[in-house]
Amino acid sequence: MKLRHLEMTLQHVCGFLRPQAALEQYQTPAPLAARLLYHALMKGDIEGKTVLDLGCGTGVLAIGAALLGAASVIGVDIDERALAVARENAVLLGTEVRFLAVDVREGGCRERIGACDTVVMNPPFGAQKAHADRPFIDLALSIAPVTYSIFNAGSAQFIETYTAQRAKIDEKVGGIFPMRRTFPFHTQDVQEIEVEILRLIRKQ
Ligand code: SAH
């Protein structure tokens, strides 16, 4: 599947019905999701691989990974209502994804989910609750040798320091997250947030 086709297909993924600010529920727009996934595909991290989407929301990254030929895909999220939409999205787009209700902060989730080859994620950036992204990073690195994650632009330095003993950032791709007015504290119809997609490689 070509990048443009992936992007057009992912436009059909339904978003959060009632997004919750406390969980930083922002659906990744199709062009950004397609960009992350296609990049991972080109690096050999999707096709034939077991892929995990942490904080999958309504499933755009998980479903995209399945469309690009992942051997199996799991999406996990704390929010059952988002998972219900994700399940419908997966069926709508003719993909098979296992969706599980998991709080990434809980002990034992690594065992529940099992090991996999690649993590793709757009975790909370920590705008509502400081460091909300940390349990996602910790779990991703404990589960898979390769992680692709979207962060606020300028986060690479912090992530590098935070993961220094465990991983190294081997790539950084810039992107734009056009954030639509979602919550009462948003003042503009669309705010373009600069983001970066990092590829983290676990140290042996
Ligand atoms: N990955 C999706 C959603 C991004 S929004 C997409 O790209 O469209 C961040 C997601 O993280 C939300 O769906 C939210 O419910 C989930 N989340 C927040 N805290 C969580 C936690 N502690 N455990 C699991 N998921 C969590």
mmCIF file of all heavy atoms in Angstrom, residues 16 23-28 55-57 60 77-79 102-105 122 124 136, ligand 1:
data_model
loop_
_atom_site.group_PDB
_atom_site.id
_atom_site.type_symbol
_atom_site.label_atom_id
_atom_site.label_comp_id
_atom_site.label_asym_id
_atom_site.label_seq_id
_atom_site.Cartn_x
_atom_site.Cartn_y
_atom_site.Cartn_z
ATOM 1 N N PHE A 16 -12.583 9.923 18.895
ATOM 2 C CA PHE A 16 -13.215 9.785 20.214
ATOM 3 C C PHE A 16 -14.612 10.394 20.175
ATOM 4 O O PHE A 16 -14.801 11.497 19.661
ATOM 5 C CB PHE A 16 -12.386 10.522 21.266
ATOM 6 C CG PHE A 16 -11.007 9.960 21.446
ATOM 7 C CD1 PHE A 16 -9.910 10.545 20.815
ATOM 8 C CD2 PHE A 16 -10.795 8.841 22.236
ATOM 9 C CE1 PHE A 16 -8.630 10.034 20.973
ATOM 10 C CE2 PHE A 16 -9.514 8.320 22.408
ATOM 11 C CZ PHE A 16 -8.439 8.915 21.771
ATOM 12 N N LEU A 23 -7.211 12.412 30.021
ATOM 13 C CA LEU A 23 -6.464 11.312 29.385
ATOM 14 C C LEU A 23 -5.736 11.787 28.131
ATOM 15 O O LEU A 23 -5.144 10.999 27.409
ATOM 16 C CB LEU A 23 -7.418 10.158 29.031
ATOM 17 C CG LEU A 23 -8.070 9.425 30.210
ATOM 18 C CD1 LEU A 23 -9.079 8.388 29.709
ATOM 19 C CD2 LEU A 23 -7.007 8.742 31.077
ATOM 20 N N GLU A 24 -5.807 13.104 27.877
ATOM 21 C CA GLU A 24 -5.183 13.703 26.683
ATOM 22 C C GLU A 24 -5.575 12.953 25.420
ATOM 23 O O GLU A 24 -4.731 12.472 24.666
ATOM 24 C CB GLU A 24 -3.660 13.757 26.847
ATOM 25 C CG GLU A 24 -3.264 14.725 27.954
ATOM 26 C CD GLU A 24 -1.773 15.042 27.951
ATOM 27 O OE1 GLU A 24 -1.205 15.235 26.872
ATOM 28 O OE2 GLU A 24 -1.190 15.093 29.036
ATOM 29 N N GLN A 25 -6.891 12.852 25.239
ATOM 30 C CA GLN A 25 -7.389 12.081 24.097
ATOM 31 C C GLN A 25 -7.464 12.940 22.832
ATOM 32 O O GLN A 25 -8.443 13.636 22.594
ATOM 33 C CB GLN A 25 -8.748 11.460 24.445
ATOM 34 C CG GLN A 25 -8.589 10.389 25.527
ATOM 35 C CD GLN A 25 -9.858 9.630 25.822
ATOM 36 O OE1 GLN A 25 -10.932 10.198 25.813
ATOM 37 N NE2 GLN A 25 -9.726 8.337 26.099
ATOM 38 N N TYR A 26 -6.429 12.875 22.069
ATOM 39 C CA TYR A 26 -6.353 13.563 20.783
ATOM 40 C C TYR A 26 -6.040 12.518 19.727
ATOM 41 O O TYR A 26 -4.973 11.890 19.791
ATOM 42 C CB TYR A 26 -5.217 14.593 20.769
ATOM 43 C CG TYR A 26 -5.347 15.689 21.802
ATOM 44 C CD1 TYR A 26 -4.613 15.638 22.984
ATOM 45 C CD2 TYR A 26 -6.191 16.780 21.581
ATOM 46 C CE1 TYR A 26 -4.721 16.648 23.935
ATOM 47 C CE2 TYR A 26 -6.290 17.799 22.523
ATOM 48 C CZ TYR A 26 -5.554 17.723 23.699
ATOM 49 O OH TYR A 26 -5.653 18.720 24.620
ATOM 50 N N GLN A 27 -6.925 12.348 18.794
ATOM 51 C CA GLN A 27 -6.655 11.368 17.749
ATOM 52 C C GLN A 27 -5.539 11.869 16.828
ATOM 53 O O GLN A 27 -5.545 13.042 16.431
ATOM 54 C CB GLN A 27 -7.921 11.127 16.922
ATOM 55 C CG GLN A 27 -7.759 9.992 15.933
ATOM 56 C CD GLN A 27 -8.876 9.944 14.909
ATOM 57 O OE1 GLN A 27 -9.772 10.782 14.904
ATOM 58 N NE2 GLN A 27 -8.815 8.980 14.040
ATOM 59 N N THR A 28 -4.620 10.999 16.502
ATOM 60 C CA THR A 28 -3.561 11.386 15.568
ATOM 61 C C THR A 28 -4.168 11.575 14.184
ATOM 62 O O THR A 28 -4.812 10.657 13.669
ATOM 63 C CB THR A 28 -2.462 10.297 15.501
ATOM 64 O OG1 THR A 28 -1.998 10.024 16.820
ATOM 65 C CG2 THR A 28 -1.302 10.742 14.637
ATOM 66 N N GLY A 55 -1.716 3.029 24.260
ATOM 67 C CA GLY A 55 -2.588 4.205 24.325
ATOM 68 C C GLY A 55 -3.216 4.392 22.951
ATOM 69 O O GLY A 55 -3.143 5.461 22.350
ATOM 70 N N CYS A 56 -3.835 3.316 22.462
ATOM 71 C CA CYS A 56 -4.248 3.272 21.040
ATOM 72 C C CYS A 56 -5.439 4.150 20.735
ATOM 73 O O CYS A 56 -5.714 4.430 19.566
ATOM 74 C CB CYS A 56 -4.543 1.834 20.633
ATOM 75 S SG CYS A 56 -5.941 1.112 21.529
ATOM 76 N N GLY A 57 -6.183 4.594 21.766
ATOM 77 C CA GLY A 57 -7.361 5.419 21.493
ATOM 78 C C GLY A 57 -8.312 4.702 20.566
ATOM 79 O O GLY A 57 -8.670 3.539 20.801
ATOM 80 N N VAL A 60 -6.033 4.345 15.333
ATOM 81 C CA VAL A 60 -5.488 4.707 14.014
ATOM 82 C C VAL A 60 -4.117 4.078 13.742
ATOM 83 O O VAL A 60 -3.881 3.555 12.640
ATOM 84 C CB VAL A 60 -5.480 6.249 13.808
ATOM 85 C CG1 VAL A 60 -4.527 6.965 14.735
ATOM 86 C CG2 VAL A 60 -5.195 6.608 12.366
ATOM 87 N N ASP A 77 -5.472 0.403 25.632
ATOM 88 C CA ASP A 77 -5.859 1.728 26.119
ATOM 89 C C ASP A 77 -6.588 1.549 27.447
ATOM 90 O O ASP A 77 -7.160 0.494 27.722
ATOM 91 C CB ASP A 77 -6.780 2.439 25.112
ATOM 92 C CG ASP A 77 -6.757 3.962 25.287
ATOM 93 O OD1 ASP A 77 -7.425 4.466 26.211
ATOM 94 O OD2 ASP A 77 -6.052 4.637 24.514
ATOM 95 N N ILE A 78 -6.571 2.596 28.248
ATOM 96 C CA ILE A 78 -7.238 2.561 29.545
ATOM 97 C C ILE A 78 -8.752 2.737 29.383
ATOM 98 O O ILE A 78 -9.522 2.352 30.265
ATOM 99 C CB ILE A 78 -6.656 3.679 30.453
ATOM 100 C CG1 ILE A 78 -7.044 3.471 31.905
ATOM 101 C CG2 ILE A 78 -7.061 5.060 29.964
ATOM 102 C CD1 ILE A 78 -6.337 4.432 32.856
ATOM 103 N N ASP A 79 -9.178 3.303 28.261
ATOM 104 C CA ASP A 79 -10.562 3.747 28.097
ATOM 105 C C ASP A 79 -11.383 2.752 27.261
ATOM 106 O O ASP A 79 -11.185 2.650 26.042
ATOM 107 C CB ASP A 79 -10.540 5.127 27.424
ATOM 108 C CG ASP A 79 -11.928 5.709 27.223
ATOM 109 O OD1 ASP A 79 -12.906 5.120 27.723
ATOM 110 O OD2 ASP A 79 -12.026 6.752 26.556
ATOM 111 N N VAL A 102 -6.057 -1.808 29.206
ATOM 112 C CA VAL A 102 -4.870 -1.877 30.065
ATOM 113 C C VAL A 102 -4.521 -0.461 30.520
ATOM 114 O O VAL A 102 -4.540 0.472 29.714
ATOM 115 C CB VAL A 102 -3.658 -2.460 29.286
ATOM 116 C CG1 VAL A 102 -2.379 -2.332 30.084
ATOM 117 C CG2 VAL A 102 -3.881 -3.907 28.886
ATOM 118 N N ASP A 103 -4.201 -0.311 31.805
ATOM 119 C CA ASP A 103 -3.629 0.939 32.309
ATOM 120 C C ASP A 103 -2.114 0.737 32.323
ATOM 121 O O ASP A 103 -1.609 -0.126 33.056
ATOM 122 C CB ASP A 103 -4.164 1.205 33.732
ATOM 123 C CG ASP A 103 -3.594 2.491 34.321
ATOM 124 O OD1 ASP A 103 -2.580 3.005 33.817
ATOM 125 O OD2 ASP A 103 -4.177 2.969 35.317
ATOM 126 N N VAL A 104 -1.412 1.528 31.522
ATOM 127 C CA VAL A 104 0.030 1.298 31.381
ATOM 128 C C VAL A 104 0.797 1.524 32.687
ATOM 129 O O VAL A 104 1.946 1.125 32.806
ATOM 130 C CB VAL A 104 0.657 2.166 30.261
ATOM 131 C CG1 VAL A 104 0.049 1.858 28.913
ATOM 132 C CG2 VAL A 104 0.552 3.649 30.585
ATOM 133 N N ARG A 105 0.151 2.141 33.676
ATOM 134 C CA ARG A 105 0.835 2.391 34.951
ATOM 135 C C ARG A 105 0.777 1.188 35.882
ATOM 136 O O ARG A 105 1.461 1.143 36.902
ATOM 137 C CB ARG A 105 0.197 3.591 35.666
ATOM 138 C CG ARG A 105 0.370 4.899 34.925
ATOM 139 C CD ARG A 105 -0.549 5.942 35.442
ATOM 140 N NE ARG A 105 -1.939 5.508 35.338
ATOM 141 C CZ ARG A 105 -2.994 6.253 35.612
ATOM 142 N NH1 ARG A 105 -2.824 7.486 36.024
ATOM 143 N NH2 ARG A 105 -4.210 5.776 35.485
ATOM 144 N N ASN A 122 1.296 7.214 20.221
ATOM 145 C CA ASN A 122 1.158 8.651 20.414
ATOM 146 C C ASN A 122 0.617 8.819 21.828
ATOM 147 O O ASN A 122 -0.575 8.933 22.041
ATOM 148 C CB ASN A 122 0.197 9.255 19.394
ATOM 149 C CG ASN A 122 -0.047 10.724 19.670
ATOM 150 O OD1 ASN A 122 0.724 11.354 20.392
ATOM 151 N ND2 ASN A 122 -1.117 11.268 19.133
ATOM 152 N N PRO A 124 -0.005 10.374 25.796
ATOM 153 C CA PRO A 124 -0.228 11.729 26.321
ATOM 154 C C PRO A 124 1.127 12.430 26.408
ATOM 155 O O PRO A 124 2.130 11.810 26.750
ATOM 156 C CB PRO A 124 -0.784 11.462 27.727
ATOM 157 C CG PRO A 124 -1.343 10.082 27.680
ATOM 158 C CD PRO A 124 -0.488 9.323 26.708
ATOM 159 N N PHE A 136 4.455 5.140 29.593
ATOM 160 C CA PHE A 136 4.370 4.626 28.212
ATOM 161 C C PHE A 136 5.766 4.286 27.696
ATOM 162 O O PHE A 136 5.985 3.236 27.099
ATOM 163 C CB PHE A 136 3.725 5.678 27.293
ATOM 164 C CG PHE A 136 2.235 5.802 27.473
ATOM 165 C CD1 PHE A 136 1.710 6.590 28.493
ATOM 166 C CD2 PHE A 136 1.356 5.136 26.644
ATOM 167 C CE1 PHE A 136 0.342 6.709 28.668
ATOM 168 C CE2 PHE A 136 -0.017 5.245 26.806
ATOM 169 C CZ PHE A 136 -0.529 6.033 27.824
HETATM 170 N N1 SAH B 1 -2.912 6.674 19.958
HETATM 171 C C1 SAH B 1 -4.198 7.276 19.667
HETATM 172 C C2 SAH B 1 -4.707 8.143 20.834
HETATM 173 C C3 SAH B 1 -3.762 9.219 21.300
HETATM 174 S S1 SAH B 1 -4.426 10.099 22.704
HETATM 175 C C4 SAH B 1 -4.101 8.040 18.401
HETATM 176 O O1 SAH B 1 -2.968 8.165 17.942
HETATM 177 O O2 SAH B 1 -5.093 8.506 17.854
HETATM 178 C C5 SAH B 1 -3.651 9.263 24.098
HETATM 179 C C6 SAH B 1 -4.329 7.952 24.482
HETATM 180 O O3 SAH B 1 -3.704 7.449 25.665
HETATM 181 C C7 SAH B 1 -5.818 8.101 24.814
HETATM 182 O O4 SAH B 1 -6.573 7.200 24.038
HETATM 183 C C8 SAH B 1 -5.926 7.759 26.311
HETATM 184 O O5 SAH B 1 -7.128 7.117 26.661
HETATM 185 C C9 SAH B 1 -4.714 6.852 26.485
HETATM 186 N N2 SAH B 1 -4.234 6.788 27.858
HETATM 187 C C10 SAH B 1 -4.038 7.828 28.717
HETATM 188 N N3 SAH B 1 -3.577 7.372 29.903
HETATM 189 C C11 SAH B 1 -3.476 6.009 29.782
HETATM 190 C C12 SAH B 1 -3.034 4.969 30.655
HETATM 191 N N4 SAH B 1 -2.618 5.243 31.895
HETATM 192 N N5 SAH B 1 -3.026 3.697 30.205
HETATM 193 C C13 SAH B 1 -3.440 3.414 28.938
HETATM 194 N N6 SAH B 1 -3.870 4.346 28.071
HETATM 195 C C14 SAH B 1 -3.890 5.631 28.483
#
